[in-house]
Amino acid sequence: MSGYHGRYLRIDPRPGRPGCVPIDDRTLRDFIGGVGLGSWIVARETPRGVDPLGPDACLVFALSPLVGSPLTTSAKFAVVAFGPLTGRLCDALCSSHFAIAAKRTGVDAIALSGAFDEPTVIFVDGTGVDSPRVETQPAGGLWGLSAAEAEARIRLEHGAGWQVAAIGPAGERLIPFATLSHDGRHAGRGGLGAVMGSKKVKAIAVRGDRRTPLADPSRTVELARSLSARSLGPATEKYRELGTVANLLAFNRFDALPTRNFQSGHFEGAERLAGHDLGPSPKVARKSCASCTIGCEHIFAVGSKGARMEYESLFALGPLCGVDDPEFVLRAASLCDDLGLDTISTGGTIAFFMECAERGWIDGRLPRPDRWLRFGDGPAVLEAISALVDREGIGEWLALGSRRAAERIGRGSADLAPHVKGLELPGYDPRALHAMALGLAVGTRGADHNRSGAYEADFSGKVDRRRGGVASALAAIETEDRAALIDSLILCKFLRGVFADLYEESAGLLRAVTGWDLDADELRATARRVVNARKCLNEREGWTRAEDTLPPRFLSDDPADDATPTLSRGRLETMIAAYYQGRGWDEDGRGPVELRRELSLDGPEFGPGASGRP
Amino acid sequence: MISIELFGVPRLRAGTGLVRLEAVDLGSALEGLALACPGLDGSVVLGGRAHPAYKLSLNGDRFVTEPETTLNDGDVLLLLAADVGG
Ligand code: SF4
């Protein structure tokens, strides 16, 4: 089998469960890999009504046929499970050598279920064997360390041939927006680090020597050379030269930069925060994931150290909290990385609390004396991050995330909690970007930019970003489908600008690697299948139409005027209806049985359909 | 007089975030920009057009590409990467 091993590894401390599980050719072709294949495995391995932090929850590390190939940016893995923040399907991507080493263990995915009795490190070794050996060791003194420290310690003690994905203290303490990470890269959104922590797994180490053949090696190399050459061109220059932090000033100019818990889309401190060489401070280094020719990761000076910074962290810990001091924002991002916290949800929750304090709904007192949660106070953000991981004082409520905290705070605060389905909003003000507003509202993962990507439509010039309508909905479907394909292949989204036709080129890549005779149309159907599969799983777990919306703060009853970006309820509802229709769903947003059948999603693992239930 | 605000790589290359010049249409504005900021010529600005990797918004309201697009006194062009977000 070219490109695949044709099986996944099930790890489960409960008796009789572990071992390799075959995956048939049809399934691999239907779901490809990454978020697609991961969703399929989660569907099979997770019983209905699962508690995301319970032992029945399954956490999947999914690879792809392109992992290990010479294609640029292909060293990626997807982590998929039901998320503790949302209760809905969650997937997050991560990069680098772990993906390559995991595939060399001889499987296409690792599915982790059950829970260990004590903190554990799992070793999966595919060296010199047909089926990978799984061993476990007590985590011992690794428990409590940052993911990076644990990773380094494991490799020091067991050998640099191991590649390690680990959680930090936030994951251990089941903070519902904890990350898991490898080589400084985080599978960031939705709390998958807490899912791993609930299984008392500190780290998974992988190594092996099993390789999958390429169906057409010379064609694969030819395509890889072409892609690499284009990855060095102008379409990716922004990422190479500046990184995503360069978005901040542009978004501010378009009134799309979320500021002070989304009270505004314009931050007066933006130049101070991101004006130094178009970043928060002097750059000290640039890094890239394994197998990447772009290298978008920019390291900025903070004191005598360096801290990595991306736009999402910069906006969430800066303008969203009203902070314009680059040093504190860099330190806050670095602290989140060390503790293993999603910076977007962390910043979003802290900003929400700041507004609640501003309105007098909470006192905002932090555990450390004389420090209060107030917009613009950089040291307070640092204190709040520490408090929430320690669940100390107000930190106990901060650790809930904004949706659950609003339920405790009451007093109308739910209207201002910046989340969809429990996941905090990324750095795109929906009032200024209407296609993105729709993408955030209907996203299966919750408020999410990476699975939707509808901001591309808003900035395409083809739709009116401040007067969204049917065209915005159709464009949002297109960007969501493209993202589903890229995340299943898995390639880096920062490559997207180099493809003249993503579907045609992807078909060519998969033909060369797998030998399948597929074409662009088949991949369009695959992308739809992946989007629908995630939706089916959410329906299975109790999704209702009411979840597809935005917080009331964003929705006005007034028509848009040109001075202040607004989004009316009617406009959002019109876009949602057009989106459902464009997807072939009924007016309640459920896919009919015929569609499920057409997409091969009519098995019981994907739950009942909308009507004529199978 | 119109203004051109530069973001990201164009601002880095130009060494400034703002250029003011006289122009009646998009083509002449971009030619004037290339003269004022030689670092943009041939990479970000190709004759009277922006390179496809970049885009221009007129007053933040709509994106414009055609060199004949009329500009009025006081208009502001925003020049940024086509690949926004990420
Ligand atoms: S562009 Fe950035 S995120 Fe993407 S693979 Fe390269 S270094 Fe990693």
Side-chain angles (χ1 to χ4, degrees), chain A residues 8 10 17 27 31 34-50 56-60 62 80-82 88-90 111 113 529-530 532-541 596 600-608:
Chain A
Y8 66 91
R10 185 192 280 144
R17 301 255 314 151
T27 298
F31 292 92
V35 301
L37 183 61
S39 299
W40 178 80
I41 296 173
V42 166
R44 282 171 58 101
E45 293 284 333
T46 312
R48 191 174 303 190
V50 72
D56 286 339
C58 179
L59 180 71
V60 174
V80 190
F82 286 100
R88 302 290 172 249
L89 191 73
C90 180
S113 297
R529 179 177 300 108
V530 171
N532 277 275
R534 295 189 289 207
K535 181 65 187 308
C536 289
L537 286 170
N538 279 0
E539 286 182 36
R540 193 191 90 171
E541 295 304 310
R596 288 174 175 238
S600 308
L601 298 173
D602 50 347
E605 67 273 24
F606 288 104

Side-chain angles (χ1 to χ4, degrees), chain A residues 151 518 552 596:
Chain A
E151 186 177 338
L518 41 64
R596 288 174 175 238

Side-chain angles (χ1 to χ4, degrees), chain A residues 73 76 185 288-289 292 294-296 492 494:
Chain A
T73 80
K76 289 191 179 286
R185 286 271 167 190
S288 68
C289 304
C292 174
I294 299 173
C296 72
C492 186
F494 296 164

Side-chain angles (χ1 to χ4, degrees), chain A residues 234-235 237-239 241-242 244 246-247 249-251 253-254 271 275 277-278 311-312 428 449-450 455-456 458-461 464-466 493-494 496-497, chain B residues 5-13 17 43-44 51-64 76-86:
Chain A
E237 193 168 28
K238 178 183 99 175
Y239 302 110
E241 295 292 324
L242 299 166
T244 55
N247 293 335
L249 294 180
F251 278 25
R253 186 62 178 79
F254 284 92
E271 275 289 341
D277 275 349
L278 301 183
Y311 167 68
E312 294 296 339
Y428 303 78
H449 60 299
N450 277 323
Y455 56 84
E456 289 176 51
D458 285 312
F459 286 105
S460 68
D464 188 333
R465 70 183 174 93
R466 300 206 297 201
K493 288 213 187 63
F494 296 164
R496 62 186 184 264
Chain B
E5 295 181 21
L6 302 109
F7 297 90
V9 169
R11 177 165 152 175
L12 191 72
R13 289 251 174 86
S43 55
V44 176
H51 186 285
Y54 299 94
K55 58 176 43 179
L56 286 144
S57 168
L58 180 56
N59 300 319
D61 294 331
R62 63 190 173 101
F63 288 94
V64 288
V76 181
L77 287 167
L78 313 177
L79 175 58
L80 63 157
D83 198 352
V84 185

Side-chain angles (χ1 to χ4, degrees), chain A residues 310-322:
Chain A
E310 297 168 2
Y311 167 68
E312 294 296 339
S313 303
L314 187 62
F315 111 87
L317 300 164
L320 197 62
C321 295

Side-chain angles (χ1 to χ4, degrees), chain B residues 1-3 10 17 33-34 39 56 79:
Chain B
M1 181 79 76
I2 63 125
S3 305
L33 178 66
L56 286 144
L79 175 58

